[in-house]
Amino acid sequence: MEDELEPDCARDRLGERIEELDRGQGRHEEKLDNFREVLQGVGADVARLGTEVSEVRQEVAGLENSVTETRQALDTFIEQYGRDREVSRAQAELSRLTTEWHANFAQRKQTRALARSLVHTLTAQAVYKKVVNPATLQACSEERLLLEPTYWLAPATMAVAAKFRKEEKQGKSAQAHACTLNAAKSHLFFALTCSRLGDESGAAAWMDLYLQSLDPDELGQDFLVVLDAIAGKELGEEALGYTQQAMTGWNRDGSPPSTTATHASSGVRGGAHLESRLLNLRNRLAQN
């Protein structure tokens, strides 16, 4: 009897165990369902977060583009501002220099115009024919000297006016004053004036003084123009001769040490060393 009861008890316990397992499995399934629901919610949140991250990335990219454009605009503004400031400074300096130039040199235009008129052959004819009173020329030239006391051309015009009046003493004083202010330009002016008025001997004498006042190592554009005129014999044969002598001497002084034969040959050639310097000067003037 007891043997029959033991399997029944075991079966009952096993049934109870199975029922407990079924109940535990049910509870686990509920937990799994809840967990699945939570995971679905987390997945939705992750997807939504991914969308938001993409939107943020797009906004950041747009912000970077905006910052780049702003920086470029700022750099452009700074560069333009610097240029505008330099332009303003240059305009202010130009205005200052223009004002200073007008204050100091505007009167010289009239002095140059008077000088051109005095050396014109028609003016000389008008004076000699008594169409123009020489006293008028003297008054005009004296006025220019009073207005431009430091300008060499003002006393130079007085010297020309004195020549028309045949006042030799006043003319020489005016010539000396002009030469004191600027010897080279005054000598050249008087040489050209004498040539224009037909006095070739006087032109040659003044040209000799002009050449003596020059530094052969500091020849400028003016000398090339004068040299061209002399070569064309516009100042006469004597002026051409003086110039040839002076340039030969310049070349001799500037040539390197050599034998007597070579030295003489360089003088005969007319000055290869000086010619080279003049060609260099012409090239520099052409480049500038």
Side-chain angles (χ1 to χ4, degrees):
M1 191 69 175
E2 291 179 356
D3 293 335
E4 294 177 355
L5 291 173
E6 287 180 358
D8 292 338
C9 291
R11 187 175 57 252
D12 293 338
R13 287 195 298 272
L14 183 59
E16 291 175 355
R17 181 63 177 168
I18 291 172
E19 289 178 355
E20 290 178 357
L21 290 173
D22 290 338
R23 289 193 296 270
Q25 184 178 0
R27 289 193 300 272
H28 286 301
E29 288 179 352
E30 290 179 357
K31 291 181 180 179
L32 287 174
D33 291 339
N34 292 332
F35 186 66
R36 289 191 186 96
E37 291 178 356
V38 172
L39 285 178
Q40 290 177 353
V42 171
D45 291 340
V46 170
R48 186 172 60 254
L49 182 61
T51 302
E52 293 177 354
V53 168
S54 298
E55 293 176 353
V56 169
R57 286 177 178 172
Q58 293 177 356
E59 292 179 356
V60 169
L63 181 60
E64 288 178 350
N65 292 334
S66 179
V67 169
T68 301
E69 293 175 356
T70 302
R71 181 61 185 176
Q72 291 176 350
L74 180 60
D75 291 341
T76 302
F77 171 78
I78 293 175
E79 184 179 357
Q80 184 64 39
Y81 175 75
R83 288 197 297 265
D84 292 343
R85 184 173 59 180
E86 292 301 322
V87 169
S88 298
R89 289 179 179 175
Q91 289 176 342
E93 181 65 11
L94 177 61
S95 178
R96 185 188 68 80
L97 292 176
T98 301
T99 301
E100 182 178 345
W101 182 87
H102 280 292
N104 296 331
F105 304 108
Q107 295 286 343
R108 296 190 175 184
K109 289 183 177 180
Q110 299 179 14
T111 305
R112 288 193 291 269
L114 177 61
R116 286 193 296 269
S117 176
L118 287 176
V119 299
H120 202 285
T121 55
L122 293 179
T123 301
Q125 293 177 9
V127 173
Y128 295 145
K129 292 179 181 180
K130 298 183 179 180
V131 177
V132 176
N133 190 341
T136 303
L137 302 181
Q138 190 69 15
C140 292
S141 60
E142 289 178 354
E143 179 184 8
R144 299 320 307 167
L145 179 60
L146 292 176
L147 293 174
E148 292 287 344
T150 61
Y151 188 28
W152 65 270
L153 190 55
T157 57
M158 281 191 61
V160 177
K163 187 174 183 179
F164 283 122
R165 291 171 58 89
K166 298 181 180 180
E167 295 182 358
E168 184 177 353
K169 183 177 181 180
Q170 186 180 23
K172 289 184 177 180
S173 298
Q175 289 176 354
H177 184 46
C179 294
T180 301
L181 295 177
N182 193 316
K185 290 184 178 181
S186 297
H187 294 155
L188 179 59
F189 173 78
F190 293 130
L192 297 175
T193 299
C194 291
S195 176
R196 180 67 66 88
L197 298 178
D199 184 4
E200 292 189 359
S201 297
W206 283 111
M207 181 54 61
D208 186 30
L209 293 175
Y210 168 70
L211 294 170
Q212 293 178 20
S213 65
L214 295 179
D215 183 352
D217 293 325
E218 299 294 336
L219 299 178
Q221 183 178 6
D222 292 344
F223 180 74
L224 290 180
V225 178
V226 174
L227 185 61
D228 186 60
I230 294 173
K233 298 182 180 180
E234 295 183 16
L235 278 74
E237 290 287 347
E238 292 185 54
L240 177 61
Y242 282 130
T243 305
Q244 290 174 335
Q245 293 176 10
M247 295 183 69
T248 300
W250 292 345
N251 183 69
R252 185 180 298 112
D253 293 338
S255 298
S258 59
T259 62
T260 304
T262 304
H263 194 69
S265 176
S266 67
V268 173
R269 289 197 306 269
H273 184 69
L274 180 61
E275 180 182 358
S276 175
R277 284 189 290 172
L278 291 176
L279 289 175
N280 291 334
L281 174 62
R282 185 179 293 276
N283 291 334
R284 291 199 304 271
L285 293 172
Q287 293 174 359
N288 194 16

